[in-house]
């Protein structure tokens, strides 16, 4: 999932301790992609306020939605997850395992699966998504670990996250609702077979 796509899903749809992972918190509203146009910025701010207002009312945290989706497909790992408010509040969770990618929709208030899972072969993915899925195999940590650390680092609750390449590096990027704004937390996970420092 690209950073732009991660932000678009959120805005438009209205322990690492011993491994050496690093967290970088960016303290800025999520409308940074559209700074040049004031009217667009105002619309984005209104969308973010609406998103945060609805997010504060849900009962299921993102980490629980991830666990639900992974339980649906034995041995799967979460590739990315996003909170959406285009209708009833949901989490869209993409998990991968056994050369398949599943997309499940989890109700953010009940934890129930609201739609039939979409399933596809990894061979059917576009180049960027396939690259991120292959990269997931090279990291030791799970997205759920990154979410836990990001929530602590930004003192908030996660509403989206995924593994992506940034400047040639693999990072977990987690979007956190903190107070009245969205913050991005970037974590560089250690790679399989490499020891990090504390």
């Amino acid at each position: 999932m690209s950073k732009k796509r991660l932000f678009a899903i959120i805005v438009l749809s209205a322990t690492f301790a011993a491994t050496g992972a690093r967290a970088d918190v960016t303290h800025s509203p999520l409308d940074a992609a559209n700074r040049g146009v004031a009217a667009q910025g105002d619309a984005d701010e209104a969308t973010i306020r609406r998103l945060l207002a609805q997010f504060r009312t849900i009962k299921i945290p993102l980490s629980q939605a991830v666990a639900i989706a992974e339980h649906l497909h034995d041995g799967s790992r979460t590739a990315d997850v996003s909170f959406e408010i285009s209708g009833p509040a949901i989490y869209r969770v993409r998990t991968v395992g056994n050369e398949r990618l599943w997309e499940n929709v989890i109700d953010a208030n009940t934890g129930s699966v609201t739609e039939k899972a979409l399933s596809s072969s990894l061979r059917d993915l576009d180049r960027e998504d396939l690259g991120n899925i292959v990269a997931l195999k090279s990291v030791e940590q799970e997205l759920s670990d990154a979410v836990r650390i990001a929530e602590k680092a930004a003192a908030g609750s996660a509403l989206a996250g995924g593994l992506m390449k940034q400047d040639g590096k693999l990072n977990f990027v987690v979007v956190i609702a903190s107070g009245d704004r969205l913050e991005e937390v970037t974590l560089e996970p250690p790679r399989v077979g490499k020891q990090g420092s504390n």
Side-chain angles (χ1 to χ4, degrees):
M1 172 184 289
S2 71
K3 184 185 259 190
K4 186 174 181 180
R5 180 174 163 200
L6 179 66
F7 292 162
I9 287 171
I10 294 166
V11 174
L12 297 176
S13 72
T15 230
F16 272 37
T19 63
R22 296 187 309 240
D24 177 34
V25 181
T26 303
H27 300 279
S28 61
L30 204 54
D31 68 341
N34 296 315
R35 284 187 190 155
V37 181
Q40 180 67 42
D42 291 344
D44 288 348
E45 285 296 320
T47 302
I48 290 170
R49 282 192 300 276
R50 187 171 140 248
L51 175 84
L52 289 170
Q54 186 148 357
F55 186 71
R56 287 184 197 106
T57 67
I58 63 168
K59 295 175 177 60
I60 304 295
L62 179 136
S63 57
Q64 188 175 347
V66 165
I68 291 166
E70 288 178 349
H71 184 70
L72 294 171
H73 312 287
D74 286 337
S76 67
R77 294 178 75 183
T78 299
D80 57 65
V81 58
S82 61
F83 175 73
E84 299 179 12
I85 61 169
S86 56
I90 61 162
Y91 291 103
R92 190 169 304 277
V93 187
R94 294 191 327 158
T95 57
V96 64
N98 299 322
E99 301 302 313
R100 307 260 348 136
L101 177 75
W102 295 278
E103 183 175 297
N104 289 99
V105 177
I106 310 293
D107 186 291
N109 284 302
T110 66
S112 62
V113 178
T114 63
E115 297 177 13
K116 184 178 178 185
L118 297 176
S119 176
S120 58
S121 168
L122 295 185
R123 285 177 256 146
D124 297 335
L125 299 178
D126 68 31
R127 193 175 193 176
E128 182 179 0
D129 280 344
L130 182 59
N132 288 339
I133 297 300
V134 169
L136 186 61
K137 295 177 183 179
S138 72
V139 297
E140 293 179 352
Q141 275 63 49
E142 302 293 332
L143 179 59
S144 56
D145 297 324
V147 165
R148 227 179 359 265
I149 298 218
E151 288 178 331
K152 187 173 181 178
S157 299
L159 51 83
L163 184 69
M164 61 190 69
K165 278 194 174 178
Q166 295 178 312
D167 301 324
K169 291 183 179 180
L170 281 175
N171 293 308
F172 281 116
V173 176
V174 182
V175 178
I176 301 289
S178 181
D180 62 349
R181 64 184 182 187
L182 297 176
E183 297 183 18
E184 175 187 304
V185 179
T186 303
L187 296 117
E188 184 179 339
R191 305 292 289 262
V192 171
K194 292 189 178 180
Q195 289 293 87
S197 59
N198 289 338

